[in-house]
Every structure is written in structure tokens, then in C-alpha cells.
Amino acid sequence: MFRRTFIALTSAALLATPAFADGHGKDIVDTAIGAGSFNTLVAAVSAAGLVDTLKGPGPFTVFAPTDEAFAALPAGTVESLLEPANRDQLVAILTYHVVPAKVMAADVAGQTVTAKTVNGAKLTVDGRKGVMINDAEVVQADIMASNGVIHVVDKVILPGS
């Protein structure tokens, strides 16, 4: 009985390992693409010319708004930001969603801290009741990528918010 249980557990572990490793083998961008709920974010990152940066070695923490979060912006906002003439504004907004370090939800549990973003501005991370990033709620935390971590937020976080 013990031998059968040991063999079954070992087989299960060996079969699970490639799937686990594969999830961690994708960078921030590929992880976002694979999730299927960040199409607007991926399009914005591409329009801003930030794909290569977010595929870089990192580590990065990305507070990733869902497609629904982008859709909640005033009508025409996303389309306007994606225009080449507004690239600097788009870059400023997107880089405000990125911290140049790997920060896990457990790192901020029970406390309020400020974090300096890639665009140089600071945001407030409140981990006292769940996790809030300024006024956006983290709805899914700790999605691992090879070069950092993604935390899904329910709003687009604007500098100065």
C-alpha cells in the first residue's frame, strides 16, 4: 500500500512539474497575453513601445488593469491614449502601474507603504484589508512570471490619483 501511494505521489509530482515550470517560464508580457483578460493592456504596452522593457530581466511588479477596468474609463479615453500623438501620456500612465522590484501580496500584508513606480511617481499600497493600490483593489494577487509578478487591479491607476 505504501509503495503504491509513493509511486502515485511521485508520478503526480513529475507530471505537475512541467506545467508549474511553464507558468513561471513566461515573462510579464507573455503571461498577460496568455491570461486573455488583458487585451487592452497588451495593446497599450505595445503602442507605448514598452514590450521589450517588460520582457526584460526585471524584476517587475505590474498592477495590471483588466479589459473591464479600461472599459470603465470615460468613452474615447483608451482610443485617444493609443494615438501616436499621446504616446508620452500613455507611457506615463502605464509606467505608473509598474514597480521596479518583485513585491508579493504577503510583503505588504497588514501595513500601508508607498512604492516608487517606474515613471518616478509614488503610489500607496494598503495591505490592511486586502490590498489596495491607491483607489484600485487588487482582485487577484501574485501571478508569477519569469521576470516578476502581476497583481490584477479593478481600475486603471492614474498618476496623482
Side-chain angles (χ1 to χ4, degrees), residues 99-114:
V99 173
K102 183 178 174 184
V103 182
M104 305 300 289
D107 296 336
V108 298
Q111 58 185 322
T112 299
V113 297
T114 58

Side-chain angles (χ1 to χ4, degrees), residues 40-41 63-73 77-78 81 93-94 96-97 133 135-136 153-159 161:
T40 307
L41 177 62
F63 302 108
T66 61
D67 292 334
E68 290 79 21
F70 278 101
L73 291 171
T77 302
V78 173
L81 287 170
I93 291 169
L94 293 174
Y96 190 61
H97 287 77
I133 310 300
D135 63 343
V153 293
D154 66 347
K155 293 182 179 180
V156 176
I157 309 164
L158 300 174
S161 65

Side-chain angles (χ1 to χ4, degrees), residues 1-160:
M1 175 77 168
F2 175 77
R3 183 170 184 249
R4 233 181 295 154
T5 304
F6 177 75
I7 291 171
L9 288 173
T10 303
S11 298
L14 289 173
L15 291 172
T17 301
F20 181 75
D22 183 51
H24 287 71
K26 294 179 181 179
D27 59 48
I28 295 280
V29 174
D30 291 337
T31 300
I33 291 169
S37 57
F38 303 111
N39 297 322
T40 307
L41 177 62
V42 171
V45 165
S46 180
L50 296 173
V51 171
D52 288 341
T53 300
L54 291 175
K55 285 181 146 302
F60 302 109
T61 297
V62 176
F63 302 108
T66 61
D67 292 334
E68 290 79 21
F70 278 101
L73 291 171
T77 302
V78 173
E79 294 78 10
S80 176
L81 287 170
L82 293 176
E83 292 176 7
N86 297 325
R87 183 174 183 215
D88 290 344
Q89 184 180 11
L90 179 61
V91 169
I93 291 169
L94 293 174
T95 57
Y96 190 61
H97 287 77
V98 181
V99 173
K102 183 178 174 184
V103 182
M104 305 300 289
D107 296 336
V108 298
Q111 58 185 322
T112 299
V113 297
T114 58
K116 188 173 182 181
T117 65
V118 170
N119 87 354
K122 292 183 180 179
L123 47 73
T124 301
V125 180
D126 186 346
R128 293 175 295 170
K129 293 180 182 174
V131 179
M132 298 290 292
I133 310 300
N134 291 357
D135 63 343
E137 181 179 359
V138 173
V139 294
Q140 185 178 359
D142 300 340
I143 299 171
M144 299 303 300
S146 63
N147 60 346
V149 61
I150 297 172
H151 301 289
V152 182
V153 293
D154 66 347
K155 293 182 179 180
V156 176
I157 309 164
L158 300 174

